[in-house]
């Protein structure tokens, strides 16, 4: 241990992160009840009491996804882990997966499908627009894919994919299984896995569920699970192999990896909050509060990037006014108001602000804070906006 003695021990201060209001693309603000659940003592991940907790989390997840799928679990890891569990198990080497080009997360789908040994084909739409059912239909007819993936709520563009049943019906007519990215829709905007014919849906806890990242919702239909369990080749990831995870989450309750106990507690409490509020009330709350946010933006003279028919309440993409440096505005909001919102990325880099309105963050006080703070900072940098008119419009919408 040459060169290391006691005096080298790092002196690091106690953790005192700034108190931010999280109105970006995630994570969102966490309800204090969820934080309290996380500070309760651990039990073993095979403890009979934990087995009961696992059952409760599964039941609550089914309620939130609007599904009766037996195969409904939290995957250890962030949303991308649930995403990779979905794609890496359903896509087999030699399979073809159809993915969208209209945002950042379609690109991630493609990357994961290729790593799973699949071939990737695309259905195109510009960033900031949804997929058109006719284009999906044409791509299905042309490429005959085994799997079709789409993003229900595109966090990079603030676009909600409308008319999901039109897409799933088309895919099923071509015998393709449908994987939906519901990371920014679950618990925030209307989502009905069974009724809409979605075969596999994955999500993340830190967006509309307002839970810290770490255990991420995933659900698979019996048909999708049948494909997974009859694979010829093992999935490339041992950690995310659903046939092995079945041993833990299924009847057996056998050790596979140590469940992130604290994150499962957190998710349980976050989902209990969903059940208490009622899933449909929760969707309505997001629409009402994000509606007020949108009214505030438009009231001050800004415009939304997505048109009304596919506006995504949980992620509001607002056009950056002419001549304004978006990065400077985001930094000022953080500095002066402890408020987090995000810039655009990819094709919309520098063109939009991304303002989340998710879960616990979707509250009247947060909406008024965002409208007030953004109006103030934009006026300061000389943008052509009327901050007071924005606040007035948001207040009226909240009445
Ligand atoms: C955030 C997000 C993901 C990835 O989730 P992580 O928790 O960051 O791994 C995937 N898809 C969409 C649409 C997202 O918004």
């Amino acid at each position: 241990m040459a060169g290391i003695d006691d005096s080298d021990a790092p002196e690091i201060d106690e953790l005192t992160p700034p108190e931010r209001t999280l109105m970006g693309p995630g994570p969102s603000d966490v309800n204090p009840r969820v934080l309290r659940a996380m500070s309760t003592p651990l039990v073993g991940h095979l403890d009979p009491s934990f087995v009961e907790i696992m059952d409760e989390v599964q039941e609550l997840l089914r309620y939130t996804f609007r599904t009766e799928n037996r195969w409904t679990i939290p995957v250890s890891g962030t949303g991308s882990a649930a995403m990779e569990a979905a794609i890496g198990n359903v896509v087999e080497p030699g399979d073809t997966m159809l993915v969208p080009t209209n945002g950042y997360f379609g690109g991630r789908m493609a990357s994961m499908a290729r790593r799973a040994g699949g071939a990737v084909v695309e259905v195109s739409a510009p960033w900031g627009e949804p997929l058109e059912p006719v284009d999906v239909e044409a791509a299905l007819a042309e490429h005959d894919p085994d799997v079709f993936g789409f993003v229900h709520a595109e966090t990079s563009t603030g676009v909600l994919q409308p008319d999901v049943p039109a897409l799933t019906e088309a895919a099923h007519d071509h015998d393709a299984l449908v994987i939906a990215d519901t990371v920014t829709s679950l618990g925030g905007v209307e989502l009905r896995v069974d009724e809409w014919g979605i075969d596999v849906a994955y999500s993340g806890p830190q967006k509309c569920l307002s839970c810290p990242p770490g255990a991420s919702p995933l659900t698979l239909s019996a048909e999708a699970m049948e494909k997974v369990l009859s694979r010829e080749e093992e999935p490339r990831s041992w950690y995310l192999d659903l046939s092995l995870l079945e041993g833990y989450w299924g009847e057996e309750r056998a050790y596979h990896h140590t469940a992130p106990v604290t994150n499962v507690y957190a998710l349980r409490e976050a989902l209990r909050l969903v059940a208490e509020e009622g899933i449909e009330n929760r969707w309505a709350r997001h629409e009402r509060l994000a509606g007020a946010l949108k009214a505030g933006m438009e009231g001050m003279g800004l415009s939304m990037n997505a048109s009304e028919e596919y506006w995504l309440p949980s992620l509001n993409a607002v056009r950056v006014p002419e001549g304004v440096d978006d990065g400077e505005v985001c930094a000022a909001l953080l500095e002066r108001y402890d408020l987090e919102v995000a810039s655009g990325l990819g094709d919309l880099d520098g063109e939009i602000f991304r303002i989340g309105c998710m879960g616990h963050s979707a509250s009247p006080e947060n909406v008024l804070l965002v409208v007030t703070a953004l109006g103030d900072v934009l006026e300061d940098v000389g943008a052509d906006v009327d901050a007071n008119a924005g606040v007035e419009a948001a207040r009226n919408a909240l009445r």
Side-chain angles (χ1 to χ4, degrees):
M1 304 291 273
I4 297 183
D5 61 40
D6 282 355
S7 65
D8 284 341
E11 279 183 41
I12 309 288
D13 288 342
E14 194 186 340
L15 182 66
T16 50
E19 284 186 33
R20 307 289 200 208
T21 300
L22 301 177
M23 297 291 276
S28 57
D29 287 341
V30 176
N31 187 297
R33 268 174 52 183
V34 174
L35 293 175
R36 276 201 297 279
M38 294 184 83
S39 63
T40 51
L42 293 204
V43 294
H45 66 114
L46 294 171
D47 190 296
S49 70
F50 194 66
V51 170
E52 204 170 300
I53 288 168
M54 290 162 67
D55 286 340
E56 290 164 349
V57 169
Q58 289 186 284
E59 188 183 342
L60 287 161
L61 279 177
R62 287 187 195 103
Y63 169 75
T64 307
F65 269 126
R66 313 275 66 218
T67 185
E68 291 183 359
N69 289 340
R70 186 169 84 82
W71 261 94
T72 305
I73 62 169
V75 175
S76 304
T78 69
S80 302
M83 181 175 188
E84 196 141 37
I87 295 170
N89 281 273
V90 172
V91 175
E92 297 174 68
D95 276 359
T96 300
M97 182 170 177
L98 177 65
V99 304
T101 64
N102 62 336
Y104 179 84
F105 291 102
R108 187 174 293 185
M109 277 185 169
S111 179
M112 288 181 177
R114 277 191 211 100
R115 282 162 196 247
V120 168
V121 290
E122 294 177 334
V123 49
S124 301
W127 279 51
E129 302 272 337
L131 298 179
E132 288 295 340
V134 287
D135 295 337
V136 172
E137 175 69 45
L140 288 162
E142 183 185 348
H143 303 294
D144 199 23
D146 304 280
V147 180
F148 164 54
F150 76 95
V151 181
H152 184 218
E154 226 332 324
T155 323
S156 65
T157 62
V159 166
L160 178 69
Q161 178 64 48
D163 202 3
V164 172
L167 306 188
T168 57
E169 269 167 39
H172 293 155
D173 284 348
H174 291 269
D175 294 322
L177 285 173
V178 178
I179 299 181
D181 181 319
T182 64
V183 175
T184 295
S185 57
L186 182 70
V189 299
E190 183 177 15
L191 168 67
R192 301 179 187 274
V193 166
D194 286 0
E195 200 180 312
W196 292 356
I198 296 168
D199 299 291
V200 181
Y202 59 84
S203 191
Q206 77 275 19
K207 311 262 170 128
C208 299
L209 298 176
S210 272
C211 176
S216 297
L218 172 67
T219 187
L220 294 93
S221 67
E223 201 187 344
M225 205 52 198
E226 197 181 300
K227 184 177 196 295
V228 169
L229 295 177
S230 59
R231 289 174 62 103
E232 276 171 26
E233 240 182 71
E234 292 174 332
R236 293 180 179 180
S237 167
W238 176 88
Y239 193 67
L240 298 172
D241 182 339
L242 290 173
S243 70
L244 300 179
L245 287 173
E246 161 157 51
Y248 182 54
W249 286 95
E251 299 295 306
E252 250 179 284
R253 307 291 183 171
Y255 170 68
H256 175 254
H257 68 266
T258 310
V261 174
T262 303
N263 293 91
V264 175
Y265 288 174
L267 185 60
R268 180 181 179 279
E269 193 61 20
L271 293 169
R272 252 164 51 82
L273 285 159
V274 175
E276 275 175 29
E277 182 172 8
I279 188 71
E280 298 198 348
N281 290 339
R282 194 172 172 103
W283 298 336
R285 171 167 60 87
H286 279 80
E287 196 166 313
R288 188 170 65 82
L289 291 164
L293 195 153
K294 181 150 107 25
M297 297 296 138
E298 289 169 341
M300 77 173 83
L302 298 173
S303 51
M304 303 295 289
N305 195 61
S307 86
E308 183 66 27
E309 314 96 86
Y310 42 87
W311 162 61
L312 173 61
S314 48
L315 196 288
N316 297 272
V318 179
R319 303 280 318 163
V320 176
E322 268 315 298
V324 169
D325 176 346
D326 56 322
E328 189 189 333
V329 170
C330 292
L333 290 170
L334 199 62
E335 169 72 21
R336 285 168 50 191
Y337 287 95
D338 271 318
L339 174 64
E340 180 175 282
V341 306
S343 301
L345 42 92
D347 288 4
L348 293 172
D349 183 26
E351 293 189 29
I352 57 171
F353 295 112
R354 292 183 301 144
I355 306 179
C357 189
M358 306 180 186
H360 193 59
S361 287
S363 66
E365 59 270 37
N366 280 8
V367 165
L368 288 176
L369 170 64
V370 168
V371 175
T372 307
L374 185 63
D376 181 32
V377 169
L378 284 175
E379 277 192 352
D380 257 20
V381 298
D384 180 21
V385 293
D386 183 342
N388 288 338
V391 174
E392 185 64 26
R395 280 178 57 204
N396 284 334
L398 286 170
R399 283 208 176 98

